């Protein structure tokens, strides 16, 4: 590795975390971001290499810019529920607001924070610029979560690990042994996947016992509302199986002082469902018989930025593509710029697009996702398409490998 020109973490940052809380608001025509709070944590659990780069564009980006030199010293991409809501008909006529929280390394000197998003044409739009005085006395410091609540399940052996917190939702204090059993099952399932198994030494994973006053989670479709720790609910955007929490500040408050950069939330319910939002969280049911494979699928979204490879006409917010714009997710293509996707992984002579009847002939192809939606997928047998798949397809596996290496190894 050539790291002679690499940015050194210690040149710009302390071993602390700066938490940035925002409100994203607006409608399909106009979007805004407003600063809510600044919070500091002891220790930084994000990446310490490739600080000023992103491997995936996401639906938005946050940049930390050194105020003296105007140099970008940290960058992270993300997606949000706000971005999903903007695709709905409701966003054409109504305004709505959403909480969003981002973690960045704590700067030694004054910085400028830039929050941007990408419009429907994939053009970057800056929503907010604001300055942060690293010595500001109003940067709040939260009390750390009790160490007794945090159980280490997987300990990394490598120097720059990826930290994942598995968090309890809808588990009472008496149900914590059940939660810990579920958390272990998730880790076991995750490392059955080749890409994660090959990088097992790069992950530290903890289980966080966030105690709920009531057992279970809220389901508006059955008029059930629970007093749960993370205030999650089914029925997101009126979709019966879409389980999320909109109380993002509360989620991060529960994790203050916990070693985490990525989040998996296990909900104490047997109703099938969940959701995964890139660089935000995975949230899934934990009592359904297929819960562990579902968690891995959703973690493909939240950790690796992979898109669904299944498509339903009845979905509330269905992905559609145009041959003018290439999606940022690495496992779907509109063929607008297929060279940037998995074209180099195709067997010689593979037709583009590839007919589904030839699925046994071509392990990797360019298969139509849903008739007329303009998107194509690499495989008919992948964890991002079906829970019956044993593993991720080679394209998704390749994407996960690259991202893990990006987080843990300095790029040349």
């Amino acid at each position: 590795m050539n790291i002679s020109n690499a940015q050194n973490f210690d040149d710009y940052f302390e071993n602390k975390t700066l938490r940035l809380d925002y409100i994203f608001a607006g409608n399909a025509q106009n979007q805004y971001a407003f600063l809510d709070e600044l919070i500091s944590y002891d220790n930084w659990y994000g990446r310490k290499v490739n600080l000023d780069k992103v491997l995936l564009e996401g639906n938005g980006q946050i940049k930390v810019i050194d105020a003296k030199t105007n140099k970008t010293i940290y960058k992270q991409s993300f997606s949000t529920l706000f971005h999903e809501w903007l695709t709905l008909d409701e966003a054409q006529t109504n305004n709505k607001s959403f909480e969003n929280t981002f973690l960045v390394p704590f700067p030694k000197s004054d910085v400028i924070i830039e929050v941007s998003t990408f419009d429907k044409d994939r053009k970057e739009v800056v929503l907010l610029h604001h300055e942060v005085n690293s010595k500001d006395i109003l940067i709040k410091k939260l009390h750390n979560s009790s160490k007794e609540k945090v159980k280490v399940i997987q300990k990394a052996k490598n120097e720059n690990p990826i930290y994942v917190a598995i968090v309890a939702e809808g588990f009472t204090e008496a149900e914590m042994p059940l939660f810990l059993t579920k958390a272990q099952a998730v880790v076991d399932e995750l490392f059955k996947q080749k890409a994660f198994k090959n990088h097992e030494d790069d992950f530290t994973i903890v289980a966080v016992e966030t105690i709920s006053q009531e057992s279970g989670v809220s389901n508006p479709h059955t008029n059930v509302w629970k007093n749960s720790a993370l205030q999650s609910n089914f029925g997101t955007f009126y979709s019966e199986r879409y389980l999320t929490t909109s109380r993002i500040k509360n989620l991060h408050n529960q994790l203050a002082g916990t070693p985490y950069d990525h989040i998996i939330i296990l909900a104490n319910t047997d109703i099938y469902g969940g959701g995964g939002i890139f660089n935000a969280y995975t949230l899934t049911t934990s009592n359904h018989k297929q819960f562990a494979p579902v968690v891995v699928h959703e973690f493909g979204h939240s950790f690796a930025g992979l898109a669904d490879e299944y498509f339903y006409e009845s979905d509330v917010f269905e992905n559609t593509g145009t041959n003018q714009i290439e999606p940022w997710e690495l496992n779907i293509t509109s063929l607008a710029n297929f060279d940037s996707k998995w074209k180099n992984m195709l067997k010689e002579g593979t037709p583009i697009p590839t007919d589904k009847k030839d699925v046994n002939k071509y392990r990797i192809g360019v298969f139509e996702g849903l008739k007329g939606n303009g998107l194509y997928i690499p495989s008919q047998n992948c964890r991002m398409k079906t829970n019956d798949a044993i593993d991720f397809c080679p394209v998704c596996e390749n994407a996960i490998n690259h991202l893990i290496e990006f987080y843990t190894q300095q790029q040349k």
Side-chain angles (χ1 to χ4, degrees), residues 52-312:
D52 57 349
K53 307 177 182 70
V54 292
L55 200 61
L56 302 170
E57 272 194 343
N59 286 320
Q61 294 184 6
I62 188 160
K63 299 171 187 173
V64 181
I65 302 166
D66 181 62
K68 281 186 179 180
T69 63
N70 206 35
K71 175 184 178 182
T72 298
I73 55 177
Y74 181 79
K75 188 189 294 187
Q76 182 62 297
S77 50
F78 61 84
S79 294
T80 68
L81 276 177
F82 182 53
H83 288 103
E84 294 183 13
W85 179 76
L86 290 174
T87 68
L88 305 183
D89 290 342
E90 180 187 3
Q92 297 294 329
T93 55
N94 294 341
N95 292 294
K96 202 166 184 179
S97 65
F98 293 76
E99 293 180 2
N100 285 290
T101 287
F102 306 106
L103 307 179
V104 302
F106 200 98
K108 289 183 174 180
S109 303
D110 295 352
V111 295
I112 298 167
I113 307 294
E114 180 182 288
V115 182
S116 63
T117 189
F118 292 94
D119 66 16
K120 60 183 178 60
D121 298 318
R122 295 305 296 170
K123 293 180 180 176
E124 190 172 12
V125 178
V126 176
L127 299 183
L128 179 67
H129 268 102
H130 66 94
E131 295 184 10
V132 173
N133 176 352
S134 60
K135 305 297 189 293
D136 190 340
I137 62 170
L138 295 183
I139 297 177
K140 184 187 295 184
K141 185 168 184 180
L142 295 183
H143 293 293
N144 289 347
S145 299
S146 169
K147 290 184 179 179
E148 294 178 357
K149 290 172 53 179
V150 180
K151 306 289 192 300
V152 178
I153 301 180
Q154 158 73 22
K155 181 71 172 175
K157 295 179 182 177
N158 293 347
E159 184 179 354
N160 295 314
I162 297 167
Y163 291 91
V164 182
I166 302 177
V167 189
E169 166 64 336
F171 290 86
T172 63
E173 188 169 9
E175 292 172 317
M176 280 304 146
L178 174 63
F179 163 69
L180 293 175
T181 299
K182 301 291 186 180
Q184 183 64 60
V186 167
V187 174
D188 293 343
E189 183 72 22
L190 186 66
F191 290 120
K192 287 180 184 177
Q193 318 304 308
K194 185 178 177 182
F196 290 105
K197 181 64 178 176
N198 289 343
H199 293 278
E200 191 168 357
D201 289 342
D202 289 318
F203 284 86
T204 288
I205 304 178
V206 299
V208 185
E209 298 180 1
T210 43
I211 297 170
S212 294
Q213 296 305 305
E214 291 184 281
S215 179
V217 296
S218 299
N219 188 354
H221 290 279
T222 55
N223 196 30
V224 172
W225 293 93
K226 297 284 188 176
N227 184 9
S228 61
L230 305 181
Q231 301 172 54
S232 69
N233 62 270
F234 287 95
T236 304
F237 307 142
Y238 297 97
S239 175
E240 285 194 41
R241 62 188 177 85
Y242 198 12
L243 173 64
T244 67
T245 178
S246 59
R247 300 304 174 209
I248 306 302
K249 289 178 60 177
N250 171 57
L251 167 61
H252 286 270
N253 287 347
Q254 299 271 5
L255 294 175
T258 299
Y260 78 102
D261 190 39
H262 300 274
I263 302 169
I264 295 173
I265 304 168
L266 298 183
N268 187 17
T269 174
D270 58 5
I271 300 173
Y272 183 84
I277 304 168
F278 179 49
N279 280 338
Y281 60 78
T282 279
L283 173 51
T284 72
T285 180
S286 66
N287 296 335
H288 189 275
K289 63 182 180 180
Q290 287 189 305
F291 93 94
V294 172
V295 173
V296 172
H297 170 94
E298 299 298 347
F299 197 59
H301 291 312
S302 71
F303 174 75
L306 297 171
D308 282 324
E309 294 178 11
Y310 63 85
F311 302 94
Y312 298 129

Side-chain angles (χ1 to χ4, degrees), residues 340-392:
S340 67
K341 295 302 176 70
W342 63 91
K343 187 175 182 180
N344 65 341
M345 297 178 68
L346 295 178
K347 177 182 175 182
E348 186 175 352
T350 303
I352 303 173
T354 313
D355 197 303
K356 288 183 182 178
K357 67 180 176 59
D358 292 329
V359 64
N360 293 325
K361 187 176 180 180
Y362 303 105
R363 186 185 180 197
I364 304 174
V366 188
F367 301 100
E368 190 173 30
L370 178 71
K371 190 170 181 61
N373 80 337
L375 291 174
Y376 300 86
I377 60 176
S379 172
Q380 295 295 312
N381 186 28
C382 179
R383 186 51 65 88
M384 296 312 296
K385 183 173 176 63
T386 171
N387 288 325
D388 294 328
I390 296 174
D391 208 334
F392 292 95

